[in-house]
Amino acid sequence: MLGGNSRSRTHQRHVLGATAGACAALAVLGLTAVPAAADDVPDFRPDQWALASIGAQEAWDTSQGQGVTVALPGVSVDEDHPDLRDNLVVDTEFGDNGGDTDTGTALGALVVGHGHGMDADGGVLGVAPRSGLLVLPTGDGGPAEAIDHALGQGAQVVLLPDEVQQDEDLQAATASAARSGTLVVAPAGGEADPNVLAVGGVDEEGVLLPDSPPSASIELLAPGAALSTAGPDMGQTDVTGTPYAAAVVAGSAALLTSEYPQLSTDQLRAALVEGSQQGTGGLPSLYLPSAVAQASGDAQDIPLIDDNLVEDDSPAVPVWMWFALVGVVLALIVIGLVLWVRRTTKDPYGVAAERQEEDQRIAAERAEQARAEERPSRRKGGRRRKK
């Protein structure tokens, strides 16, 4: 448990109408094949009130978080859970993945859960079901080094499972994340950090959670009570607490980042906070359709590639070098033409070959005549006898 947050019993019931719920979820995700739901696999997606509350299905029309990595330092996770499998990478650089995996599994599925095996047989969905999750267990250590490591791995969003504490290393890491364009999301109630988006949780009626931190420490509200997510024993469970509300916001940040990667950290944060609805106590409450609209307006005048960076990184070629290059090319062309002409015009009618053959014949005749002249002539008659 995190910060006194409670987790209710694991679901053991089957949900009626699982096939219809699965079909609706698949239609949202743009899938076409819908196999029949297995009788022994409950489908909890129709019960995920948080997705409807924040308007996730409307945002899925344009983005489901593809191409974005969300880092989750400081927890362990069930790598084999069917609602997370294939969307998950566990990096044990700073600690082993083991022990209590309930919290990390629940948080991860709220961000990137893709349903039970991605085959419509049940399970739960996260806010960004096509994003990747980078889990970084840290053992007894702090998350600062893990955050820096995640930045090096290309994480665009970081979800902290606990409130931010007074820690110079951690604040330096979150500042580095902000400079690199990575949004850090955490439960509200800890040390104020300008580089961290502090999230508070509400129930289905929009009421703050019983153990909610002071309103002054909350920058954005999100669903945080009775959230259906991945649970122990390959199953599902309901969770309540501000860390889980922060997970919903992290998934939302992944959706916006996937659709508008050119936004800065401040613009992404403003889209989530200012593009929201008014919640309890006048606090902003997460609503993705209006957040997407604000992000779209901010991004329309920002090119995906900075032309200034391209010019700086690509120095101009001097004019003399262009002339030299053209001269070399022309010289090679001329040389090639000369060689081709010489090859094609050399003895085109075979005269040289005939002349060589005639010379060889005459030389052979002369040689034969010379050999004949050198042969000794025989004398006529025999030897004269002595008397």
Side-chain angles (χ1 to χ4, degrees):
M1 299 189 182
L2 292 172
N5 298 313
S6 62
R7 195 182 283 108
S8 70
R9 63 180 178 81
T10 302
H11 281 292
Q12 298 294 333
R13 59 185 178 83
H14 295 292
V15 179
L16 298 177
T19 304
C23 292
L26 286 175
V28 169
L29 287 172
L31 303 177
T32 55
V34 183
D39 293 338
D40 58 346
V41 181
D43 187 354
F44 294 99
R45 288 173 287 186
D47 292 345
Q48 292 187 262
W49 69 270
L51 298 178
S53 175
I54 65 173
Q57 294 184 356
E58 296 180 48
W60 286 343
D61 289 339
T62 57
S63 171
Q64 295 164 22
Q66 54 269 29
V68 175
T69 298
V70 179
L72 178 56
V75 296
S76 293
V77 68
D78 184 354
E79 299 179 64
D80 297 321
H81 199 289
D83 288 346
L84 284 175
R85 194 167 47 223
D86 300 327
N87 273 18
L88 175 70
V89 172
V90 177
D91 191 328
T92 56
E93 177 77 14
F94 305 100
D96 295 332
N97 184 51
D100 182 11
T101 62
D102 292 353
T103 297
T105 302
L107 289 170
L110 288 171
V111 180
V112 303
H114 52 56
H116 207 70
M118 303 183 74
D119 59 4
D121 283 347
V124 294
L125 289 174
V127 181
R130 292 190 180 177
S131 289
L133 185 70
L134 174 63
V135 177
L136 293 153
T138 56
D140 297 330
E145 290 185 343
I147 292 175
D148 290 335
H149 184 73
L151 299 180
Q153 298 299 310
Q156 295 100 321
V157 180
V158 174
L159 170 62
L160 297 180
D162 297 301
E163 300 90 347
V164 175
Q165 303 299 325
Q166 180 65 42
D167 186 320
E168 292 183 0
D169 291 338
L170 178 58
Q171 291 183 353
T174 59
S176 177
R179 288 192 299 271
S180 68
T182 298
L183 180 65
V184 181
V185 181
E191 184 73 21
D193 187 335
N195 298 305
V196 176
L197 178 57
V199 178
V202 295
D203 61 18
E204 196 167 355
E205 303 299 325
V207 178
L208 286 171
L209 301 181
D211 297 331
S212 179
S215 298
S217 66
I218 298 174
E219 190 174 357
L220 182 64
L221 295 174
L227 304 180
S228 295
T229 186
D233 302 323
M234 305 292 182
Q236 287 74 38
T237 188
D238 284 351
V239 294
T240 295
T242 53
Y244 306 110
V248 172
V249 172
S252 301
L255 289 184
L256 295 185
T257 300
S258 174
E259 183 69 11
Y260 306 107
Q262 67 268 49
L263 293 180
S264 67
T265 306
D266 290 340
Q267 289 171 322
L268 176 61
R269 187 170 181 164
L272 291 168
V273 176
E274 298 174 12
S276 61
Q277 296 181 332
Q278 184 172 344
T280 183
L283 292 171
S285 184
L286 176 65
Y287 190 60
L288 274 172
S290 54
V292 169
Q294 175 153 336
S296 176
D298 292 339
Q300 63 182 355
D301 296 328
I302 305 174
L304 287 172
I305 299 177
D306 191 335
D307 293 335
N308 293 326
L309 291 178
V310 173
E311 292 176 359
D312 292 341
D313 293 340
S314 304
V317 178
V319 175
W320 67 266
M321 189 174 292
W322 284 112
F323 280 109
L325 180 61
V326 172
V328 170
V329 172
L330 290 176
L332 291 175
I333 293 175
V334 171
I335 293 172
L337 287 173
V338 170
L339 293 175
W340 178 78
V341 169
R342 292 184 63 181
R343 178 176 297 177
T344 55
T345 57
K346 182 179 180 181
D347 192 23
Y349 302 107
V351 174
E354 291 180 0
R355 184 175 299 165
Q356 183 178 7
E357 184 178 349
E358 180 67 16
D359 291 343
Q360 291 175 351
R361 185 183 63 79
I362 293 172
E365 290 178 353
R366 289 178 177 176
E368 180 63 25
Q369 184 178 358
R371 286 195 296 271
E373 293 176 351
E374 292 176 356
R375 293 172 186 164
S377 59
R378 293 185 176 181
R379 296 177 180 179
K380 295 181 179 181
R383 294 178 61 183
R384 184 178 295 181
R385 294 181 177 179
K386 294 181 179 181
K387 290 183 180 180

